[in-house]
């Protein structure tokens, strides 16, 4: 039959309608939060299923979660998640993929202070300083530092197995399952269930002197809390955080989050905090309604919550897991105080009368009467170069520092700025006989949670791991609704839903 203009018009109309149906049938995934867990989940989900629409809800007015940049005397500094390890593969790959630059952090001199005695760990970077430091370490702590470094490097070798498992497409329902993917003998899970004190002294052979004088300090420098109550795995991660080669993203670590969300073509709704996530039981297909504080409601095929539920104020309705069951364990409320000025060496009992003799970093080695946990000089801004003026110091504490204490600590000061957040899990807040909050699955049909990884260890790379795990879980359930299975699945009890979407 010879085509007519009427037939052509009908054909055009049919194709247009088909395109509209196709575009309207895309599967939609909501992500709550915009930190590294959320943004890595969006990135990996987009890689796995480019046609899925991703909507990110962030209650604040900027992306990044606890990756915060804070202004002090007109200069921007990292206040939240600040340092990355040279073997953090995901963060390194993200930085390279996004065309961002890395800045290496250097700390030339370090000491610990217990309120009475100051002990130098590292006095400088010259050959003479390094030789004197080596003699000092051997005299005071024997070969413990060498032994610890070897143990941490072995842990990092095992950590690489996480990447291999995820590259194979494997996903995990619990923290314990994920941990088992790294060590065939269950070492990581054993560390999760063992106190740092017992494991480091009995399993790793660290002396009590080294543990009391140095190891306890490293818990405070990375997690702003005493080592008591910490399990061995998080302590090992903290020790890795004082190895050489630490780095940060030039311009601020949060640029990674912004870049990942852009590459995932995610719709980001800033200032739009989520108050509830509800599974619609009456629906023939699996659907979730996300409601925001502004009263807007949106429906999705799957949901990833990538912010701690302990203080998110999000109600879960109709899910197989309740909000209350996930609220065990508190977060460590952290004050980050920046001061431009010159600290008093006499306050920390450091030999030397002038501020030029002050070390780059002083760490509280375990005296809770010393209010600050760390005091470190900032050698760069997030952009690299420092402007002229007084040096800027950054302090971690569990409470706001009073003016009187600042006067005692600093010979002269100005430009005091304070940033505060529930920065890390408070590991001692868990019942020592109870398991850590472990489940990544809020609802087997399609709602998942990234934050349980923080109870193993809170770090940007850990959150990126959890974000990829969430993306793999979502891919599996979306695929299962269309009669196919997710690759490498370790879960066998997902609920099946009707495949009502085309092109899913």
């Amino acid at each position: 039959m010879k085509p007519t203009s009427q037939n052509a018009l009908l054909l055009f109309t049919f194709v247009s309608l088909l395109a509209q149906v196709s575009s309207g049938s895309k599967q939609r995934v909501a992500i709550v939060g915009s930190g590294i867990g959320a943004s890595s989940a969006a990135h990996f989900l987009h890689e796995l299923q480019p046609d899925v629409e991703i909507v990110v809800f962030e209650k604040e007015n900027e992306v990044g979660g606890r990756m915060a940049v804070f202004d002090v005397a007109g200069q921007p500094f990292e206040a939240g998640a600040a340092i990355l390890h040279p073997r953090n593969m995901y963060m390194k790959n993200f930085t390279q993929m996004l065309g961002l630059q890395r800045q290496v952090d250097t700390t030339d001199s370090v000491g610990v202070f217990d309120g009475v005695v100051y002990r130098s760990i590292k006095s400088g970077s010259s050959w003479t300083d390094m030789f004197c430091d080596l003699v000092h370490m051997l005299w005071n702590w024997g070969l413990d530092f060498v032994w610890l470094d070897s143990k941490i490097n072995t842990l990092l070798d095992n950590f690489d197995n996480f990447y291999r498992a995820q590259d194979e497409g494997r996903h995990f329902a619990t923290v314990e399952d994920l941990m088992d993917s790294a060590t065939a003998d269950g070492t990581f899970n054993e560390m999760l269930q063992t106190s740092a004190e017992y494991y480091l002294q009995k399993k790793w052979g660290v002396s009590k002197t080294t543990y009391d004088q140095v190891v306890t300090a490293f818990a405070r420098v990375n997690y702003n809390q005493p080592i008591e109550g910490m399990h061995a795995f998080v302590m090992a991660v903290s020790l890795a955080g004082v190895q050489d080669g630490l780095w940060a993203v030039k311009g601020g670590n949060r640029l990674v989050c912004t870049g990942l969300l852009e590459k995932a073509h995610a719709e980001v709704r800033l200032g739009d905090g989520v108050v509830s996530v509800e599974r619609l039981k009456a629906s023939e297909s699996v659907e979730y309604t996300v409601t925001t504080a502004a009263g807007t409601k949106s429906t999705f095929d799957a949901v990833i919550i990538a912010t701690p539920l302990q203080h998110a104020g999000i109600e879960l309705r109709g899910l197989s897991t309740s909000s209350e069951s996930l609220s065990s364990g508190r977060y460590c409320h952290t004050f980050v105080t920046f001061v431009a000025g010159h600290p008093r060496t006499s306050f920390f009992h450091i030999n030397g009368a002038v501020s030029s003799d002050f070390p780059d970093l002083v760490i509280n080695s375990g005296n809770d009467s010393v209010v600050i946990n760390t005091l470190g000089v900032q050698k760069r801004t997030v952009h690299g170069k420092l402007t002229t003026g007084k040096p800027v110091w950054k302090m971690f504490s569990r409470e706001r520092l009073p003016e009187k204490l600042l006067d005692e600590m600093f010979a002269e000061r100005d430009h005091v700025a304070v940033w505060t957040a529930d920065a890390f899990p408070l590991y001692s807040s868990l019942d020592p006989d109870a398991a850590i909050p472990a489940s990544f699955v809020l609802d087997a049909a399609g709602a998942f949670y990234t934050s349980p990884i923080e109870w193993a260890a809170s770090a940007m790379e850990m959150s990126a791991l959890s974000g990829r795990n969430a993306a793999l879980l979502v891919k599996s359930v979306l695929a299962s609704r269309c009669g196919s299975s997710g690759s490498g699945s370790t879960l066998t009890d997902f609920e099946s839903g009707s495949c009502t979407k085309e092109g899913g």
Side-chain angles (χ1 to χ4, degrees), residues 304-366:
I304 297 171
I305 296 182
T307 188
L309 285 168
Q310 280 85 346
H311 46 260
I314 299 173
E315 184 181 357
L316 306 181
R317 302 172 186 160
L319 277 61
S320 55
T321 302
S322 66
S323 306
E324 292 76 14
S325 66
L326 297 163
S327 60
S328 62
R330 303 192 311 278
Y331 270 63
C332 178
H333 196 62
T334 295
F335 290 84
V336 182
T337 304
F338 293 92
V339 177
H342 298 287
R344 300 180 191 271
T345 55
S346 58
F347 181 87
F348 296 94
H349 298 190
I350 300 172
N351 294 328
V354 295
S355 59
S356 59
D357 298 319
F358 205 88
D360 291 344
L361 177 65
V362 176
I363 314 168
N364 180 353
S365 62

Side-chain angles (χ1 to χ4, degrees), residues 28-35 38 53-65 261 266-277 288-300 302-307 314:
R28 304 178 74 226
V29 176
I31 300 178
V32 183
S34 69
E53 290 184 1
I54 300 171
V55 179
V56 173
F57 294 87
E58 170 55 57
K59 68 177 180 179
E60 304 297 337
N61 291 317
E62 55 187 354
V63 165
L261 293 175
E267 176 189 344
V268 181
R269 300 181 184 179
L270 295 176
D272 209 7
V274 171
V275 295
S276 71
V277 175
Y288 298 88
T289 295
V290 173
T291 304
T292 69
T296 59
K297 295 179 182 290
S298 307
T299 303
F300 298 91
V303 176
I304 297 171
I305 296 182
T307 188
I314 299 173

